[in-house]
């Protein structure tokens, strides 16, 4: 059995932002009973024992957890590589210095665009200036800085200016990742999916920037899978390299697997090693035995693992079908139709605007960690 | 791909960390998105990439532990990692 390398810790789904492409669950009310500090520390101990080397601290907004420094310190003491994935709202100088001292290895800050008006509109709250301030703070503390930008129809044409901003901020890396259509993003797909012409322009810009910035800034560009010939090898295979622990302690093979109807597995009820090795949710799509045709006899079955189970479920209602992104999938028309609709030249000046986007709501009420058990 | 010259002083990129994977008993290079599994020689080379030693000095420092250190292979190895942004090459 493979052991996991990476743990994505979704510490809370509370978030000051309301991005319409958020991959958090549509029903956020089920996650208010968050793991305590001590429970997270136990999760990290067990994860490290299991072979996890990288810890991605995410959410929601992980800075909303007041115990983030404690959790980070614990992870660092275990030798884990710690990576904070944040909107940067709440990353004050004091908090940043605390995290630096706790051993946080790397910070990834999301920005929504290259300028305040659009960035704040997408984020649903005034945040752009605070993000820039935080990014400069990260560099001042001599931390490596990665900027994360989720690309979609409304900002992909600004990719050159986004790259200029990253350069000006001294980012070491930038991840330009097209929206993946889960959760709120799927609900908003018609307003988010870019057209083919937009993608072609973006690729030209990225190629030129890579040459220009070679050795100074690493550019990671993730294509939208709707435009790929082959589906993405989601998580490098189900239950193969990564696991996700969500705020209430449920463990998933990937952060969107809550959408697939499978039995729950929680760190509150089982050791992490059992969940990884034996739980029904991790066994469900491990390996190739579950595959239908055309995957079962496909040469690429060990390369893309049939694509994404969550996408198959969301688009076809059956998680065990071939990812409809694959051109060999009998359901490929579901994706092809969305691509055609996004790429048809729209009449009039409204090109790019698309339908109104539904913002991801704030979870209500603001979840609080349970009190520490007395022992 | 840029291969380091003899006078260059390679060091690990700031966002990477050399570590030992206890669960699998292997050396690894940790980066924000990836874990690079190293063999013992690779780990020894990277352990010497401190931004002070030149490539020639790294090769020389390895020699007591290994019967023969092919400088070309060390250069190629570091060149690959440099191209991937895992190692910085600074001429000195």
């Amino acid at each position: 059995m493979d052991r996991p390398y990476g743990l994505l810790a979704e510490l809370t789904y509370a978030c000051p932002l309301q991005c319409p492409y958020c991959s958090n669950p549509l029903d956020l009310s089920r996650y208010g009973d968050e793991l305590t500090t001590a429970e997270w520390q136990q999760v990290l101990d067990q994860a490290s024992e299991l072979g996890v080397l990288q810890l991605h601290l995410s959410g929601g907004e992980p800075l909303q957890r007041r115990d983030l420094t404690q959790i980070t310190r614990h992870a660092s003491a275990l030798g884990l590589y710690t990576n904070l994935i944040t909107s940067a709202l709440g990353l004050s100088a004091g908090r940043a210095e605390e995290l630096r001292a706790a051993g946080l290895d790397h910070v990834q800050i999301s920005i929504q665009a290259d300028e305040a008006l659009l960035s704040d509109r997408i984020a649903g709250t005034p945040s752009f200036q605070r993000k820039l301030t935080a990014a400069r703070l990260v560099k001042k503390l001599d931390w490596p800085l990665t900027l994360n930008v989720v690309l979609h129809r409304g900002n992909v044409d600004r990719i050159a200016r986004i790259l200029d901003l990253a350069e000006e901020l001294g980012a070491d890396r930038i991840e330009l990742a097209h929206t993946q259509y889960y959760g709120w993003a799927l609900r908003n797909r018609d307003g988010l999916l870019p057209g083919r012409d937009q993608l072609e322009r973006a690729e030209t810009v990225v190629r030129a920037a890579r040459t220009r910035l070679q050795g100074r800034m690493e550019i990671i560009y993730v294509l939208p899978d709707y435009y790929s010939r082959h589906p993405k090898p989601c998580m490098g295979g189900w239950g193969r390299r990564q696991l996700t622990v969500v705020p209430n302690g449920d463990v998933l093979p990937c952060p969107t697997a809550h959408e697939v109807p499978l039995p729950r597995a929680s760190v509150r009820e089982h050791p992490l090693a059992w969940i990884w090795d034996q739980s029904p949710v991790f066994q469900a799509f491990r390996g190739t035995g579950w595959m239908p045709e055309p995957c079962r006899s496909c040469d690429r079955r060990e390369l893309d693992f049939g694509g994404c189970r969550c996408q198959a479920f969301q688009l076809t209602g059956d998680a065990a079908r071939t990812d409809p992104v694959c051109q060999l999938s009998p359901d490929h028309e579901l994706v092809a139709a969305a691509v055609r609709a996004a790429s048809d030249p729209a009449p009039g000046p409204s090109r790019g605007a698309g339908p109104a986007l539904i913002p991801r709501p704030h979870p209500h009420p603001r979840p609080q960690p349970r009190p520490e058990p007395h022992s | 791909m840029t291969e380091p010259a003899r006078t260059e002083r390679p060091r690990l990129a700031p966002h990477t960390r050399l570590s030992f994977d206890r669960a699998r008993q292997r050396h690894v290079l940790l980066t924000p998105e990836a874990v690079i599994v190293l063999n013992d020689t690779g780990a020894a080379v990277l352990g010497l990439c401190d931004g002070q030693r030149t490539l020639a000095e790294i090769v020389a420092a390895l020699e007591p532990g290994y019967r023969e250190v092919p400088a070309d292979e060390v250069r190629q190895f570091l060149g690959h990692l440099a191209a991937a942004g895992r190692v910085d090459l600074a001429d000195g």
Side-chain angles (χ1 to χ4, degrees), chain B residues 44-68:
Chain B
V45 171
L46 291 182
L48 293 165
C49 290
D50 56 4
Q52 305 291 318
R53 291 181 175 88
T54 62
L55 183 74
E57 286 164 351
I58 289 170
V59 171
L62 285 167
E63 269 163 2
Y66 300 84
R67 242 175 311 163
E68 200 179 325

Side-chain angles (χ1 to χ4, degrees), chain A residues 183-264:
Chain A
W184 296 94
L186 182 62
R187 183 166 283 197
N188 284 314
R189 188 180 69 187
D190 292 348
L192 292 170
L193 189 64
R196 201 174 288 279
D197 56 329
Q198 289 184 293
L199 283 185
E200 281 165 11
R201 287 195 296 272
E203 279 186 58
T204 308
V205 173
V206 168
R207 218 171 304 132
R210 277 199 176 130
T211 309
R212 185 167 57 86
L213 297 167
Q214 166 94 53
R216 278 187 292 152
M217 186 166 78
E218 185 185 352
I219 302 173
I220 298 118
Y221 181 65
V222 183
L223 278 168
D225 62 350
Y226 274 47
Y227 282 90
S228 306
R229 282 176 55 84
H230 303 294
K232 56 184 180 285
C234 220
M235 310 306 287
W238 185 273
R240 192 157 166 267
R241 297 185 180 285
Q242 312 268 340
L243 71 168
T244 298
V245 179
V246 304
N248 65 0
D250 285 357
V251 190
L252 299 168
C254 93
T256 53
H258 53 76
E259 306 196 356
V260 180
L262 286 169
R264 289 180 52 221

Side-chain angles (χ1 to χ4, degrees), chain B residues 8-88:
Chain B
E8 277 176 325
R9 302 173 194 275
R11 63 183 161 90
L12 294 179
H15 55 270
T16 65
R17 183 145 59 80
L18 205 52
S19 184
F20 187 72
D21 176 358
R22 286 188 312 265
R24 301 174 187 81
Q25 294 289 305
R26 283 185 307 202
H27 294 279
V28 286
L29 183 66
L30 302 177
T31 78
E33 297 299 326
V35 174
I36 298 163
V37 178
L38 302 165
N39 61 22
D40 290 349
T41 320
V45 171
L46 291 182
L48 293 165
C49 290
D50 56 4
Q52 305 291 318
R53 291 181 175 88
T54 62
L55 183 74
E57 286 164 351
I58 289 170
V59 171
L62 285 167
E63 269 163 2
Y66 300 84
R67 242 175 311 163
E68 200 179 325
V69 183
D72 282 355
E73 278 182 29
V74 175
R75 189 156 59 222
Q76 220 174 50
F77 171 68
L78 290 175
H80 276 297
L81 288 171
R86 313 303 185 202
V87 166
D88 290 340

